[in-house]
Amino acid sequence: MPSLPRSLPRICVALGLNSISELARCAEREYKDGSTFLEFRLDALSDPAKGVEFVASFHRAHPEIPLLATCRHKQHAGAFKGSVERQIAILRDSAQAGAAAIDLEIESAECAKPAAAALREFASLIVSYHNFESTPALEPVLRKLRRIPADAYKLVTTARKPSDNLRLVQFARERRDFPLIAFTMSEQGTLTRILAPMLGCPFTYAAPSDMEGTAPGQIPAPVMRSVYRADKLTKQSRIYGVIADPVAHSKSPLIHNRAFHAKRIDAVYIPFLVPNNCLADWMKVATDLPVAGFSVTIPHKQRIVRYLDTIEPLAKRIGAVNTVWRKGGKWRGANTDAQGVLKPLAKHIQLNRAAILIAGYGGAARAAAIALAGSGARITITGRDMKKAQALARVAKGDAVSLASAEASHYDALVHATPVGMSPHPDGSLFKRVPADIVLDMVYNPHQTLLLTKAKQQGCIIVYGSEMLLEQAACQFEIWTGESAPRSVMQSALENHG
């Protein structure tokens, strides 16, 4: 009787296309791009039965590629509209055509237990549970799954908050005498998809290149392999990341993961979606996962301070932290945004003689204002909320002016420290006319913001947000690892990905 093959690759690319021709093109492209384990979602085809013939032909052409056949019923978040008997027959035929494993959802398996059990005569059987709404109590779900004899079980839920991921991770880590594939869906669940193999799951799922996945939160296969190196992580791998909301735009994973790889450090850096009201929930996850360190960005740079045991003096003066790490069982915080602003600007201007306008009053703006004031620059703060601008101006011993007044004046440099113009809303700009000779925009996605475009048209010297990002990231890397940052490697990683 089949059992789940031990040699299965750790990343399975899920393909759900409407036609055989589309499926064939996608499968061949994934094969050429280096994918070595594919799932065919036969229920996505207009005629699922024809998918059996494709399983056979692809298997003949590429017998070294294990195939997983799935034909999920429409009543259970799939697209198959026939009877359960017909659904099981398609899966049986797929197994006989060459599929190494077949996936049958628990609802259909419960309706036809003898027929489901008989599938194991032809291929490894995975009985799966999917919850697209929440992450319920997990032990009862597993007991339900195990009532159906199978070669592996798949337990997939939806993460609504960071601690949903922690519950799933802790559950997946428990020593078991059977294979369990477990992770959470949604952007919130990104960390579980990346860490699943590291937690002992036989494999995890990825989306095909340049296409949407078959389930919420699937990460493109090339990113899983080359950025996160999910198939190479070990139980000893250290976990780092960035907390933000939104977080999908972040380029920090590109930079830090490439740096870890270059330095042969067994670690991974993951984007953690942490909504504004979930910071306390996140800190429990970070402690128990455990996370070795993380970057902090919008909207958490100031609020994170209350959750830390020790804060470095500069970060304390700024009142904002962008770098957190654990040492001696204590959470520590620092601010590397200051260096990220000072070094790029110092290449173009003598800071102690400069008049600098800072747009914004959040954590990044505070870091810029206090660092630049400490370097002797004359600081002016502007923004849409004059009370907040005035509060930061008092801290930086500078002035506060309205946006209209700022635009009517002139400064040696402008530091833009708000999310205006940031992806996914790149069409915004606080300024119609740029009131400075030099412009540093902290927004780095998109690379060429609307503000920088205007500045370039006016003949200003422009400093891209990527310069600040790289400098502060290099400082973070050195704090976390104690090693010199591979700056050229980090810069190349950012430039090569746009």
Side-chain angles (χ1 to χ4, degrees):
M1 183 175 290
S3 60
L4 196 68
R6 292 181 178 273
S7 59
L8 281 178
R10 302 177 85 186
I11 299 175
C12 178
V13 184
L15 309 182
L17 288 302
N18 185 255
S19 71
I20 294 293
S21 60
E22 291 175 309
L23 178 59
R25 282 194 297 271
C26 187
E28 287 293 341
R29 186 180 69 241
E30 289 302 315
Y31 172 74
K32 290 175 182 176
D33 287 348
S35 295
T36 54
F37 183 17
L38 303 177
E39 178 191 41
F40 293 163
R41 282 291 301 270
L42 304 183
D43 56 297
L45 293 167
S46 55
D47 185 353
K50 288 186 178 178
V52 175
E53 298 173 16
F54 179 68
V55 170
S57 65
F58 191 88
H59 177 64
R60 283 193 300 271
H62 308 291
E64 74 282 12
I65 301 292
L67 301 177
L68 169 58
T70 303
C71 187
R72 195 158 298 139
H73 206 281
K74 187 176 182 180
Q75 293 180 357
H76 313 127
F80 183 72
K81 300 176 183 177
S83 66
V84 171
E85 290 75 17
R86 184 61 185 143
Q87 176 190 17
I88 291 176
I90 289 173
L91 290 175
R92 182 191 63 239
D93 293 345
S94 298
Q96 292 176 318
I102 48 182
D103 180 326
L104 180 64
E105 66 270 21
I106 181 63
E107 295 87 353
S108 291
E110 287 178 327
C111 290
K113 287 185 181 181
L119 289 171
R120 299 179 72 195
E121 297 176 17
F122 308 101
S124 299
L125 173 63
I126 301 170
V127 175
S128 59
Y129 166 88
H130 298 80
N131 187 318
F132 289 86
E133 300 298 327
S134 64
T135 298
L138 299 172
E139 195 61 50
V141 174
L142 185 58
R143 285 199 299 268
K144 179 179 180 180
L145 285 169
R146 294 215 67 195
R147 292 190 189 108
I148 307 295
D151 301 291
Y153 298 94
K154 179 181 171 187
L155 197 164
V156 182
T157 65
T158 297
R160 296 299 182 193
K161 58 184 184 296
S163 55
D164 288 340
N165 293 313
L166 181 62
R167 288 198 293 123
L168 193 288
V169 164
Q170 292 174 331
F171 191 74
R173 269 182 174 150
E174 295 176 9
R175 295 184 65 86
R176 304 183 191 281
D177 58 356
F178 56 88
L180 177 66
I181 304 147
F183 54 87
T184 58
M185 297 181 284
S186 76
E187 185 185 356
Q188 183 66 255
T190 294
L191 77 96
T192 64
R193 287 187 178 276
I194 295 169
L195 299 183
M198 172 182 163
L199 301 173
C201 298
F203 58 88
T204 188
Y205 289 79
S209 310
D210 303 320
M211 291 182 64
E212 287 192 13
T214 59
Q218 278 183 359
I219 301 165
V223 176
M224 286 288 271
R225 289 194 299 265
S226 64
V227 176
Y228 299 116
R229 304 179 77 243
D231 52 337
K232 300 292 194 298
L233 298 178
T234 70
K235 291 182 179 179
Q236 287 72 45
S237 298
R238 283 179 278 169
I239 302 169
Y240 296 90
V242 53
I243 65 168
D245 183 13
V247 76
H249 70 283
S250 178
K251 299 295 181 70
S252 294
L254 297 173
I255 299 169
H256 284 291
N257 282 311
R258 185 67 186 89
F260 289 146
H261 190 200
K263 287 285 191 171
R264 298 188 178 184
I265 295 171
D266 185 10
V268 63
Y269 184 103
I270 298 170
F272 300 115
L273 177 63
V274 179
N276 199 33
N277 62 347
C278 288
L279 196 51
D281 192 59
W282 158 253
M283 289 306 296
K284 174 174 173 53
V285 173
T287 300
D288 294 347
L289 193 54
V291 172
F294 55 94
S295 310
V296 185
T297 187
I298 295 172
H300 303 301
K301 289 186 178 185
Q302 291 169 275
R303 290 185 61 238
I304 191 68
V305 170
R306 73 184 71 172
Y307 298 99
L308 306 179
D309 301 301
T310 304
I311 302 170
E312 291 194 346
L314 176 59
K316 191 171 288 187
R317 288 201 304 276
I318 293 170
V321 162
N322 81 321
T323 307
V324 174
W325 72 103
R326 184 159 32 187
K327 184 177 180 182
K330 294 184 180 296
W331 285 113
R332 301 167 185 266
N335 194 304
T336 67
D337 281 338
Q339 284 299 105
V341 171
L342 293 179
K343 284 196 174 183
L345 278 181
K347 295 176 184 177
H348 303 285
I349 195 171
Q350 194 168 334
L351 295 177
N352 63 355
R353 295 182 178 180
I356 299 180
L357 175 68
I358 297 174
Y361 24 73
R366 290 178 67 86
I370 291 170
L372 289 166
S375 297
R378 300 184 304 282
I379 303 300
T380 301
I381 310 296
T382 191
R384 290 169 173 164
D385 188 323
M386 274 302 294
K387 286 186 178 179
K388 290 182 178 179
Q390 289 165 348
L392 179 53
R394 285 193 294 272
V395 173
K397 296 181 172 57
D399 299 318
V401 298
S402 67
L403 282 168
S405 296
E407 201 163 310
S409 304
H410 190 80
Y411 303 86
D412 296 311
L414 162 65
V415 176
H416 175 242
T418 86
V420 175
M422 183 174 76
S423 178
H425 305 291
D427 298 328
S429 174
L430 285 179
F431 299 93
K432 294 178 181 177
R433 185 191 73 84
V434 179
D437 298 321
I438 301 168
V439 180
L440 186 160
D441 193 344
M442 290 190 182
V443 173
Y444 62 83
N445 189 6
H447 181 65
Q448 184 75 36
T449 62
L450 181 58
L451 174 62
L452 291 181
T453 297
K454 291 181 178 182
K456 198 169 186 178
Q457 289 169 347
Q458 288 181 209
C460 304
I461 295 171
I462 62 175
V463 181
Y464 291 103
S466 56
E467 289 190 47
M468 177 189 172
L469 174 68
L470 286 165
E471 185 56 42
Q472 61 86 24
C475 293
Q476 290 180 329
F477 182 90
E478 291 170 355
I479 288 172
W480 291 332
T481 67
E483 298 191 25
S484 60
R487 279 175 166 78
S488 60
V489 167
M490 297 168 85
Q491 183 172 353
S492 176
L494 185 59
E495 290 174 351
N496 290 342
H497 285 81

